[in-house]
Amino acid sequence: MPFVESIVASRSGRISRRGLSVVVTDEQGRPAPAGGLARWLTRVAPARARGEVGIALVSDARVRALNRQYRGLDYATDVLSFPANSNRFLGDIVIARGIARRQAHEVGHDEPTELRVLALHGLLHLLGYDHERDRGTMARVERRLRRKGGLAEGLLER
Protein backbone atom coordinates (compact mmCIF):
# COMPACT_ATOMS: atom_id res chain seq x y z
CA MET A 1 0.00 0.00 0.00
CA PRO A 2 1.67 3.25 -1.10
CA PHE A 3 0.33 5.35 1.76
CA VAL A 4 1.87 3.06 4.35
CA GLU A 5 5.29 3.27 2.72
CA SER A 6 5.22 7.06 2.51
CA ILE A 7 4.80 7.53 6.25
CA VAL A 8 7.43 5.05 7.30
CA ALA A 9 9.97 6.67 5.00
CA SER A 10 10.19 9.55 7.49
CA ARG A 11 12.25 8.42 10.49
CA SER A 12 12.92 11.71 12.26
CA GLY A 13 10.77 12.17 15.32
CA ARG A 14 10.39 8.44 15.87
CA ILE A 15 9.72 7.34 19.45
CA SER A 16 10.52 3.76 20.39
CA ARG A 17 9.89 1.82 23.58
CA ARG A 18 9.24 -1.82 24.52
CA GLY A 19 9.40 -3.00 20.93
CA LEU A 20 6.96 -0.40 19.58
CA SER A 21 8.23 2.45 17.44
CA VAL A 22 5.91 5.35 16.55
CA VAL A 23 6.50 8.20 14.13
CA VAL A 24 4.02 11.09 13.76
CA THR A 25 4.00 13.03 10.50
CA ASP A 26 1.90 15.50 8.59
CA GLU A 27 0.32 14.93 5.19
CA GLN A 28 3.66 15.41 3.41
CA GLY A 29 5.55 12.98 5.66
CA ARG A 30 7.27 15.70 7.70
CA PRO A 31 7.52 15.33 11.49
CA ALA A 32 4.38 16.80 13.07
CA PRO A 33 3.99 18.32 16.53
CA ALA A 34 1.36 16.32 18.36
CA GLY A 35 1.69 17.05 22.07
CA GLY A 36 3.73 13.96 22.96
CA LEU A 37 1.42 11.56 21.08
CA ALA A 38 4.14 9.11 20.02
CA ARG A 39 5.61 8.89 23.52
CA TRP A 40 2.16 8.46 25.09
CA LEU A 41 1.13 5.71 22.66
CA THR A 42 4.32 3.72 23.21
CA ARG A 43 3.74 3.94 26.97
CA VAL A 44 0.11 2.72 26.98
CA ALA A 45 0.21 0.26 24.08
CA PRO A 46 -0.42 -3.39 24.89
CA ALA A 47 2.71 -5.51 25.24
CA ARG A 48 1.89 -7.40 22.03
CA ALA A 49 2.18 -4.15 20.03
CA ARG A 50 5.64 -4.68 18.57
CA GLY A 51 7.02 -3.11 15.43
CA GLU A 52 6.68 0.23 13.71
CA VAL A 53 3.57 2.39 13.48
CA GLY A 54 3.14 5.52 11.41
CA ILE A 55 0.62 8.15 12.46
CA ALA A 56 -0.29 10.74 9.83
CA LEU A 57 -2.15 13.89 10.84
CA VAL A 58 -3.84 14.96 7.63
CA SER A 59 -6.61 17.14 6.27
CA ASP A 60 -10.22 16.06 6.38
CA ALA A 61 -10.20 16.06 2.56
CA ARG A 62 -7.30 13.57 2.51
CA VAL A 63 -9.09 11.25 4.93
CA ARG A 64 -12.23 11.48 2.81
CA ALA A 65 -10.23 10.52 -0.30
CA LEU A 66 -8.63 7.56 1.53
CA ASN A 67 -11.98 6.44 2.94
CA ARG A 68 -13.46 6.54 -0.56
CA GLN A 69 -10.48 4.75 -2.12
CA TYR A 70 -10.05 1.96 0.43
CA ARG A 71 -13.49 1.55 1.99
CA GLY A 72 -15.82 2.82 -0.73
CA LEU A 73 -17.30 5.40 1.69
CA ASP A 74 -17.43 8.98 0.44
CA TYR A 75 -17.06 10.96 3.66
CA ALA A 76 -14.33 12.03 6.02
CA THR A 77 -14.02 10.01 9.19
CA ASP A 78 -11.91 10.75 12.25
CA VAL A 79 -9.43 7.88 12.06
CA LEU A 80 -8.47 5.17 9.59
CA SER A 81 -6.14 2.24 10.17
CA PHE A 82 -4.12 0.54 7.45
CA PRO A 83 -2.61 -2.72 8.72
CA ALA A 84 0.57 -3.87 7.00
CA ASN A 85 1.46 -7.40 6.05
CA SER A 86 4.81 -7.33 7.80
CA ASN A 87 6.28 -8.56 11.06
CA ARG A 88 8.30 -5.37 11.54
CA PHE A 89 5.75 -2.79 10.44
CA LEU A 90 2.27 -2.87 12.04
CA GLY A 91 0.78 -0.25 9.72
CA ASP A 92 -0.44 3.32 9.56
CA ILE A 93 -3.00 5.30 11.49
CA VAL A 94 -4.41 8.29 9.63
CA ILE A 95 -6.16 10.99 11.67
CA ALA A 96 -8.25 13.82 10.22
CA ARG A 97 -6.91 16.86 12.04
CA GLY A 98 -9.99 19.05 11.50
CA ILE A 99 -12.40 16.37 12.69
CA ALA A 100 -10.18 15.69 15.72
CA ARG A 101 -10.19 19.39 16.58
CA ARG A 102 -14.00 19.60 16.29
CA GLN A 103 -14.56 16.42 18.31
CA ALA A 104 -12.23 17.66 21.04
CA HIS A 105 -14.28 20.85 21.29
CA GLU A 106 -17.59 18.91 21.33
CA VAL A 107 -16.56 16.61 24.18
CA GLY A 108 -14.74 19.31 26.15
CA HIS A 109 -11.09 18.38 26.04
CA ASP A 110 -8.03 19.62 24.14
CA GLU A 111 -6.83 18.46 20.73
CA PRO A 112 -3.82 16.46 22.05
CA THR A 113 -6.23 14.42 24.20
CA GLU A 114 -8.44 13.72 21.19
CA LEU A 115 -5.41 12.67 19.14
CA ARG A 116 -4.57 10.16 21.89
CA VAL A 117 -8.12 8.77 21.87
CA LEU A 118 -8.00 8.34 18.09
CA ALA A 119 -4.45 6.96 17.95
CA LEU A 120 -5.21 4.31 20.58
CA HIS A 121 -8.36 3.31 18.73
CA GLY A 122 -6.40 3.10 15.48
CA LEU A 123 -3.61 1.06 17.06
CA LEU A 124 -6.08 -1.50 18.35
CA HIS A 125 -7.45 -1.89 14.82
CA LEU A 126 -3.87 -2.45 13.57
CA LEU A 127 -3.59 -5.23 16.16
CA GLY A 128 -6.68 -6.93 14.71
CA TYR A 129 -9.43 -5.75 17.05
CA ASP A 130 -12.79 -4.99 15.44
CA HIS A 131 -15.44 -3.36 17.62
CA GLU A 132 -18.13 -4.09 15.03
CA ARG A 133 -17.65 -7.86 15.32
CA ASP A 134 -15.85 -8.76 18.55
CA ARG A 135 -18.70 -8.58 21.09
CA GLY A 136 -17.04 -5.92 23.23
CA THR A 137 -13.48 -7.24 23.34
CA MET A 138 -11.99 -4.13 21.73
CA ALA A 139 -14.04 -1.85 23.99
CA ARG A 140 -12.75 -3.64 27.10
CA VAL A 141 -9.12 -3.48 25.97
CA GLU A 142 -9.47 0.16 24.93
CA ARG A 143 -11.05 1.06 28.28
CA ARG A 144 -8.19 -0.59 30.21
CA LEU A 145 -5.51 1.13 28.12
CA ARG A 146 -7.27 4.50 28.35
CA ARG A 147 -7.24 4.27 32.14
CA LYS A 148 -3.55 3.41 32.02
CA GLY A 149 -2.98 6.49 29.85
CA GLY A 150 -5.15 8.85 31.89
CA LEU A 151 -8.00 9.23 29.39
CA ALA A 152 -11.49 9.49 30.83
CA GLU A 153 -13.46 8.66 27.70
CA GLY A 154 -12.90 6.79 24.48
CA LEU A 155 -14.28 6.78 21.00
CA LEU A 156 -16.56 3.79 21.54
CA GLU A 157 -18.41 5.38 24.47
CA ARG A 158 -19.59 8.33 22.41
Side-chain angles (χ1 to χ4, degrees):
M1 179 176 311
F3 193 75
V4 169
E5 294 164 7
S6 70
I7 293 175
V8 172
S10 170
R11 293 286 185 232
S12 57
R14 180 178 64 188
I15 303 293
S16 181
R17 186 182 296 169
R18 294 184 321 153
L20 181 65
S21 176
V22 178
V23 61
V24 181
T25 65
D26 66 12
E27 203 156 333
Q28 285 76 41
R30 299 176 299 219
L37 177 61
R39 185 172 273 90
W40 180 85
L41 191 59
T42 61
R43 185 173 59 81
V44 302
R48 66 177 265 223
R50 298 190 171 279
E52 298 177 4
V53 172
I55 299 176
L57 306 177
V58 305
S59 69
D60 295 359
R62 180 68 172 131
V63 167
R64 181 179 181 172
L66 290 169
N67 206 23
R68 183 175 46 244
Q69 180 179 355
Y70 291 102
R71 298 178 66 219
L73 302 171
D74 191 18
Y75 60 87
T77 187
D78 50 8
V79 61
L80 291 170
S81 295
F82 295 95
N85 294 326
S86 166
N87 290 334
R88 203 174 119 245
F89 181 58
L90 290 175
D92 283 322
I93 300 165
V94 181
I95 297 174
R97 195 94 197 227
I99 293 175
R101 194 174 301 114
R102 288 189 298 278
Q103 287 179 176
H105 179 73
E106 289 169 8
V107 298
H109 56 231
D110 60 14
E111 185 179 348
T113 298
E114 186 67 11
L115 292 177
R116 290 173 178 183
V117 168
L118 296 173
L120 178 58
H121 187 85
L123 177 63
L124 292 178
H125 278 302
L126 291 182
L127 294 173
Y129 292 96
D130 184 353
H131 54 86
E132 293 178 3
R133 296 186 180 98
D134 69 10
R135 300 180 187 186
T137 301
M138 181 174 174
R140 286 188 295 278
V141 171
E142 189 172 301
R143 189 170 27 258
R144 179 179 53 81
L145 296 173
R146 273 196 346 269
R147 280 194 301 263
K148 177 179 177 183
L151 297 177
E153 177 181 272
L155 200 56
L156 296 176
E157 285 84 16
R158 296 183 193 161

